[in-house]
């Protein structure tokens, strides 16, 4: 049909309307509707692998060149290639590799983002949380919940490296980042080493002592114990279709995830196995611990070795494989508690 003068008039009036909107900070929903409400998640973040053999030399070079007095935390951040340089590995999660040399101190501070650590190499550095120091060994899992004072120090004779995981991008999106420096460089030690584990990690909990229950009171979950639990499962249980043998680090006060926003797992993929592919709306950051394996994400294979990090964004199809003769052990942390709390968890195979 030919355009009538009336159509022409309407087109000109529409053009005027659209020009007037941005100046008033207004937008026409109908022009972007299909971008905003998509049949399935549309993401900027992408799957990625950070190989330890490439990351390690850069981390030790940072340690040689930048003292901890200058860097509050000496960390190389793992930046998702799709997120334009934001301090984020997914839109909710942050990950970084931190290194602390003999004699160094990472000063005491607290912040509302929750943090977890998984020790990658070196032994004998400590993290202090609310007056309790824990000396960390490779494979140990350490929690630093929201708003607790924490600092790190290394009184050993070797460099110590760990993976940091924080919910910083989520907390920033929620406009809820608060941060404070402790008045001194280190917080005073007010409890003996092992205090929290002796109270809470053995099936007991002090009665009639009011406690925050939304995060785990346990500071350190030792690798020897987590590995033993996994080996016990692998000896007698049937493996899970998707995850092999999957152990969750739990908050003993609830049986749920260690932190309100992040869950953490240690996983055992049996030798010579190809597990089933699936997808879900929680995102995961994997760290190779023992053996080697492959995670195929949206059709692309990412082989991993110990200390490689792989990010599997939300709703990416992914599948684990262990072609080798030894069990393949992976650590991971996810935003699963957030997704479930908001009733947004979906899974498909
Ligand atoms: O160790 O407290 O990777 O505050 C980023 C922010 C580590 C930490 C990070 C932090 C820390």
């Amino acid at each position: 049909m030919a355009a009538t003068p009336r159509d022409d008039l309407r087109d000109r009036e529409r053009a005027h309307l659209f020009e007037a909107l941005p100046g008033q900070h207004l937008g026409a929903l109908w022009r972007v509707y299909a971008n905003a409400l998509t049949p399935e998640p549309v993401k900027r973040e992408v799957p990625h692998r950070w190989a330890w053999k490439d990351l390690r030399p850069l981390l030790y070079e940072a340690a040689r060149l930048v003292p901890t007095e200058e860097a509050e935390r000496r960390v190389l951040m793992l930046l998702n290639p799709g997120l334009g340089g934001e301090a984020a590995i997914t839109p909710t999660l942050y990950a970084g590799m931190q290194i602390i040399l003999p004699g160094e101190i990472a000063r005491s501070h607290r912040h509302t983002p929750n943090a977890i650590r998984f020790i990658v190499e070196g032994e004998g550095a400590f993290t202090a949380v609310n007056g309790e120091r824990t000396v960390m060994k490779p494979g140990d899992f350490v929690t630093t919940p929201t708003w607790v004072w924490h600092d790190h120090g290394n009184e050993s004779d070797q460099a110590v490296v760990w993976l940091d995981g924080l919910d910083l991008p989520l907390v920033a999106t929620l406009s809820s980042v608060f941060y404070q420096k402790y008045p001194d460089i280190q917080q005073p030690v007010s409890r003996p080493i092992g205090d929290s584990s002796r109270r809470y990690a053995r099936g007991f909990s002090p009665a009639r002592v009011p406690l925050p229950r939304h995060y785990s009171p346990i500071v350190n979950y030792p690798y020897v114990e987590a590995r033993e639990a996994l080996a016990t499962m692998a000896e007698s249980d049937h493996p899970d279709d998707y995850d092999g043998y999957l152990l969750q680090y739990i908050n003993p006060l609830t049986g749920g995830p260690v932190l309100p926003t992040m869950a953490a797992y240690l996983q055992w993929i049996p030798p010579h196995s190809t597990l089933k592919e699936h997808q879900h709306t929680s995102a995961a950051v994997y760290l190779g611990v023992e053996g080697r394996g492959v995670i195929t994400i949206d059709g692309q294979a990412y082989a991993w070795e110990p200390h490689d990090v792989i990010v599997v964004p939300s709703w990416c199809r992914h599948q684990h494989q262990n072609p080798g003769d030894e069990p393949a052990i992976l650590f991971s942390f996810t935003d699963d508690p957030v997704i479930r709390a908001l009733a947004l968890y979906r899974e498909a195979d």
Side-chain angles (χ1 to χ4, degrees):
M1 265 202 335
T4 65
R6 183 182 291 223
D7 289 337
D8 288 345
L9 175 60
R10 200 192 54 178
D11 285 349
R12 281 200 303 278
E13 287 174 328
R14 280 190 181 204
H16 273 120
L17 168 65
F18 296 146
E19 276 164 30
L21 295 177
Q24 299 304 318
H25 306 286
L26 296 168
L29 172 62
W30 64 90
R31 305 183 91 194
V32 298
Y33 199 86
N35 300 336
L37 286 144
T38 54
E40 291 202 14
V42 172
K43 294 160 284 176
R44 293 188 299 140
E45 69 277 20
V46 295
H48 192 74
R49 173 189 51 210
W50 289 262
W52 178 236
K53 69 167 175 35
D54 300 327
L55 198 166
R56 188 177 191 273
L58 298 171
L59 190 62
Y60 278 81
E61 191 65 350
R64 189 173 72 80
L65 297 173
V66 183
T68 46
E69 293 82 39
E70 210 178 299
E72 175 142 345
R73 295 293 187 262
R74 192 198 291 108
V75 175
L76 291 184
M77 300 183 291
L78 278 49
L79 304 181
N80 191 293
L83 293 178
E86 278 171 49
I89 192 163
T90 75
T92 54
L93 301 172
Y94 157 102
M97 278 290 180
Q98 180 160 176
I99 182 165
I100 185 162
L101 298 178
E104 286 187 330
I105 291 169
R107 63 156 303 130
S108 191
H109 68 199
R110 65 178 178 178
H111 37 69
T112 47
N114 293 272
I116 54 103
R117 340 250 163 222
F118 191 92
I119 313 312
V120 164
E121 71 177 17
E123 177 168 340
F126 69 82
T127 290
V129 177
N130 271 343
E132 176 180 344
R133 284 187 178 182
T134 185
V135 180
M136 304 178 292
K137 294 194 172 79
D140 287 359
F141 170 74
V142 174
T143 59
T144 316
T146 179
W147 208 236
V148 298
W149 295 112
H150 58 284
D151 47 84
H152 314 290
N154 186 348
E155 294 173 355
S156 82
D157 57 2
Q158 45 189 290
V160 176
V161 175
W162 62 78
L163 178 73
D164 285 319
L166 280 81
D167 53 10
L168 177 57
L170 173 71
V171 178
T173 295
L174 299 174
S175 299
S176 301
V177 174
F178 292 84
Y179 163 90
Q180 284 179 343
K181 279 188 163 72
Y182 193 78
D184 301 318
I185 297 291
Q186 286 179 301
Q187 62 182 303
V189 175
S190 59
R191 300 161 190 273
I193 284 179
D195 184 276
S196 68
S197 295
R198 283 195 293 274
R199 288 168 192 264
Y200 302 106
R202 296 176 173 177
F204 315 118
S205 173
R208 299 197 184 162
V209 181
L211 273 171
R213 289 184 181 270
H214 50 280
Y215 57 74
S216 174
I218 299 173
V219 176
N220 189 343
Y221 297 70
Y223 188 62
V224 279
E225 294 179 13
R227 196 187 190 289
E228 189 179 58
L230 261 185
T232 302
M233 290 162 66
E235 224 167 78
S236 12
D237 301 354
H238 286 296
D240 177 78
D241 286 349
Y242 306 101
D243 285 312
Y245 299 98
L246 187 67
L247 185 73
Q248 185 174 192
Y249 295 90
I250 59 157
N251 173 355
L253 303 177
T254 62
V258 277
L259 293 168
T261 50
M262 291 186 288
Y265 305 88
L266 195 68
Q267 175 170 359
W268 172 302
I269 323 276
H272 307 291
S273 63
T274 298
L275 304 181
K276 273 176 73 175
E277 186 185 63
H278 71 162
Q279 63 188 152
H280 42 68
T281 48
S282 53
V285 177
Y286 288 93
L287 172 73
V289 181
E290 287 185 42
R292 48 207 72 221
V294 180
I295 310 179
T296 301
I297 312 171
D298 284 342
Q300 190 174 335
Y302 296 85
W304 62 262
E305 298 179 5
H307 316 328
D308 291 349
V309 176
I310 296 176
V311 60
V312 179
S314 168
W315 209 239
C316 288
R317 301 191 61 77
H318 58 283
Q319 176 187 39
H320 291 286
Q321 256 177 292
N322 176 7
D325 299 328
E326 301 295 325
I329 300 184
L330 282 166
F331 168 76
S332 61
F333 68 96
T334 79
D335 59 5
D336 182 274
V338 176
I339 304 298
R340 287 185 194 270
L342 302 179
L344 296 172
Y345 188 80
R346 284 199 193 202
E347 191 174 343
D349 57 9

